[in-house]
Amino acid sequence: MHDDRQLVEGRLERAMRQFVRPAQYARRTPLTLSVWHAPGEPVPVAEALKGEYMPFETGTVWGKPWSTSWFRLEGTVPEEWAGLHVEAVVDPGFTGQGPGFQAEGLLYDASGVPLKGIHPRNRHLTVAERAAGGEPVRLLLETAANPAVLRDFAPSPLGDVLTAGDRPIYRFRAADLAVLDETVWHLVLDVEVLSELMHELDADRGRRHDILRALERMLDALDLHDVSGTAAAARAELAGVLARPAHASAHRISAAGHAHIDSAWLWPLRETVRKASRTFANVTALARDYPELVFACSQAQQYAWVKEHQPHIWERIKKAVADGNWAPVGSMWVESDANMPGGEALARQLVHGKRFFRDELGVETEEVWLPDSFGYTAAFPQLAKLAGAKWFLTQKLSWNQTNKMPHHTFWWEGIDGTRVFTHFPPVDTYNAQFHARELAHAERNFAEKGGASRSLVPFGWGDGGGGPTREMLEKARRLRSLEGSPTVEIEKPSAFFEAAHQEYGERAPVWSGELYLEMHRATYTTQAKTKQGNRRSEHALREAELWCTTAALRDPSYAYPYDALDRIWKTVLLHQFHDILPGSSIAWVHREARETYAAVLAELDGLTAEAVRRLGGGEPSALNASPYPRDEVVAHEGRLARVRVDGLGSGPLAEADAHTRGPGAHAAATREADEKIVLANEYLTVAVDADGLLASVRDLEHGGREVLAPGARGNLLQLHPDHPTQYDAWDLDAHYRHTRTDLTGAESVELVEEGPLRVAVRVTRSFGASRIVQEYRLAAGSRRLDIVTDIDWQESEKVLKAAFPLDVHAERSTSEIQFGHVHRPTHANTGWDAARYEICAHRWLRVAEEAYGVALLNDSTYGHDVTRTQHGDSAGFLGTTVRLTLLRAPHSPDPETDLGTHRFTYALLPGATTGDAVAEGLALNLPLRIASSPALTPVVTVDDPAVTVESVKLAEDRSGDVVVRLYESRGGRAEATLTAGFPVAGADETDLLERPLRPAVTSDSGLALALRPFQILTLRLRPV
């Protein structure tokens, strides 16, 4: 037979484009339009119903960026359409951009009840399944003039309402009543399913040619000038090839409806409230027509928004959950970043998420659902299990630039040894559309062939929302069992996980440690003030909960601020969303985030101050929210004082006489002949040279060992050009390292504090349009050299690093993560090692030899890099260079990212053990609070320093029980006793949601604790 495939395929393409698809809506009549342009921010529908509407014509421009317009759509179904399927079809000016990245709308009935969202791939609202003719149609359309911000990653003023301008950006194209020819519509879907499948089959497959000839016969049966009249005959020609079932060995796909909705990204938070409402209205409307639909939806925050703002839609969601069409998933408040949230914050993501789904919808979610976060901490498996989750899902690792993950279904093992059953959908998208290309890719790509036979496909428009469409559901019906294709079963994700676990769980491979994304490494640094706001809010919440608990235990009249703390926690958790905390949202989002964090910190400071006030007055004291004892120099009323304070307790300020702590307990400074300034205390001698760099750091506790590598200088600021191939805010591409400028020149190097309690050198330098002032501070009794940094950052597309070349032969670095730490190689032997050229650490990063380590601490930085560096003569001395990534200046999606003033502190800790790094990292991030306070016995104490108390609070059920969360922080076993500072009637070990698991082991001295490496333990103590 002659090969005429291309001719037949070309004939099919033109017929569908020019004749068949247009025939789906062959009859139309326009609706009458009027408009009210809402002033300012969006308004509720009740206010819109009172608006003054003016006549409006299709073809007219509307919508300045970020504005809202309300349109009334009015008309009558023609009498001659009686018995036909009539729809309102609306196009307010959709562009070629996908759903969620342009104009969007929500249709209401005339009384203001929300009906259904519209977007470029879902423009219709069914007016009548079988019209009577003559029915009046009155609708209200809320339209959002959301601009498309991300175009080729070019700088754009559209990312903030303050800079976006007033020029209308859309032209209203059409609002019609139209007859949907259902036979033609089904013909289109038949052809799409078969044609897409045909193109995925090899040319030597008989099935491909069977489909081709069936499509050719369909074309022969179709009169292109009477598509409606011949569509049924055309469909009949395809019935045979559509009826042939899949092979028994076909890959099995479990499909779940989905709509990834970024809680903020290229739109502000307030717009996500409406995106969720539009999408959820779509889904609940779709479920009425397709009872097999299951919609998997995460992010409790978005449910809460809809409950508050759209009660009609909320009631429909509850019904859909009860009917089995809706599956709450994810177990988290938002789909957060999974690298940078602190340990307690990540626990609270699960606590607040699971509690919402349980209390509001009666659902105990079983999975962590994070398809789009930028890498995943190795603390997650344990947290998931402690929250009652059994499964974990993501597909983001398919974005890896260097290495392909070897598994799609496997056990993920965390740092403590906990394992969670994990799936990466091999379809490599969470926005699938049931295109044959996607399903074929899922089957070909599936790594577990021979061991497992099923995978999950989340389908529906996403990122900006939208969700599944009726066309997708129709395709799923045709693909349920179709020769040449994987089978498709729409079902809950839990059903997939149960079946996958039963099939493969015993034999599934294990991946141990973090799931590092080999991409988007700049998200550890971009938008420094957002990250700083998060870090400080996390620690302020820790402090507020501790002192409020202390006040509640000591003052029966004190009212613990449950509601305020709950609200603040949810605000902080929201801002950990994976495009807010990583810094990859528009300017508007980060401007509001800075304002929100300022308000959060002010409110928490007030809550803490009130709690401390209720503890009673006393002499000026230092309150320590860290679980470790502190011996520090603090500033109070314009003077310095030395204070020694127990963990979670308080201590009086000492006189401003350094020698009250004994001989040698002082700090001093001297000027050397070579212009160096030497700072010294009983632990360190630090030399600052004329360039303001660290020329020497000697550790006196370790025989005067030099910390810096031979011939190298520390705290060397290095500036690199920063031009990612794409994804400006997200990526720090490896080529940035090819060029750098060392900032060695200093305008001034001044000794500004001369002891005896603290010595300090201030260094001022300028570069480009920027200016930086740093103070090296060394306090009496401290083993830590603090570097307090103020910078006016005015660079463009640069990245600033602070380098510490250390005389430490380290084969690996150790970085703090949530509830523990991870080790990463300092070499680049393999592609996996080389790809980790930028890494995330929380409060500290440590490098060490067998008997000596050095830690670098920070109060708001996450990005680091660690390399092996040779120093000295040709034989070389192998050292380790640790660098903090301080600031970036990308132009997209925020063209002024990080420009302005910043203040932060990082610190060098020579001779640091892991335990030292843990304690000093907490100290740097939890400054002592000076207040008039009596001596406070700690609420709890633990007698093994390896056991770190993470949080102390009152139980969420408002019973008055005290909840203590702690963990083993050094990577070893710990036997400890916890002693309460109040009478205890009983105690339980609980899950993260404070539900009892088993009675705690008690003795006369307290609670006996036996912890495995990195084990997290939550205790619930019942006061007498």
Side-chain angles (χ1 to χ4, degrees), residues 542-566:
R542 172 201 289 256
E543 187 179 11
E545 288 184 333
L546 169 66
W547 301 125
C548 289
T549 300
T550 305
L553 290 169
R554 285 162 170 72
D555 181 355
S557 68
Y558 173 75
Y560 187 85
Y562 291 102
D563 292 336
L565 289 169
D566 180 82

Side-chain angles (χ1 to χ4, degrees), residues 827-841:
H827 57 69
N829 284 359
T830 70
W832 298 92
D833 302 331
R836 285 181 169 88
Y837 58 81
E838 183 81 0
I839 56 176
C840 182

Side-chain angles (χ1 to χ4, degrees), residues 770-789:
S770 302
R771 182 178 177 85
I772 186 167
V773 178
Q774 293 191 300
E775 282 192 12
Y776 297 104
R777 293 180 180 174
L778 183 63
S782 176
R783 296 167 52 204
R784 195 178 84 203
L785 176 66
D786 290 352
I787 304 171
V788 181
T789 303

Side-chain angles (χ1 to χ4, degrees), residues 31 42-49 53 68-74 88 90 104-118 124-127 137-144 273-278 281-282 306 309-313 316:
L31 290 161
V43 299
V45 66
E47 186 173 338
L49 289 169
Y53 286 77
T68 300
S69 296
W70 292 79
F71 292 90
R72 280 187 172 144
L73 287 61
E74 299 177 300
V90 183
E104 300 176 76
L106 180 60
L107 283 163
Y108 297 77
D109 69 14
S111 67
V113 175
L115 302 173
K116 179 177 176 294
I118 61 164
H124 72 280
L125 172 72
T126 298
V127 171
V137 176
R138 295 185 180 88
L139 300 170
L140 188 63
L141 174 65
E142 179 191 21
T143 53
V273 178
R274 301 199 293 178
K275 284 178 177 288
S277 298
R278 297 174 197 123
N282 280 349
V306 172
H309 295 280
Q310 292 286 4
H312 288 283
I313 299 174
R316 286 155 55 180

Side-chain angles (χ1 to χ4, degrees), residues 20-21 88 112 135 212 214 264 301 506 515 548 661 741 771 889 925:
V20 181
R21 285 194 175 90
E135 301 103 315
L212 179 72
Q301 170 69 87
E506 299 260 336
L515 295 172
C548 289
R661 295 297 176 190
T741 300
R771 182 178 177 85
N925 282 269

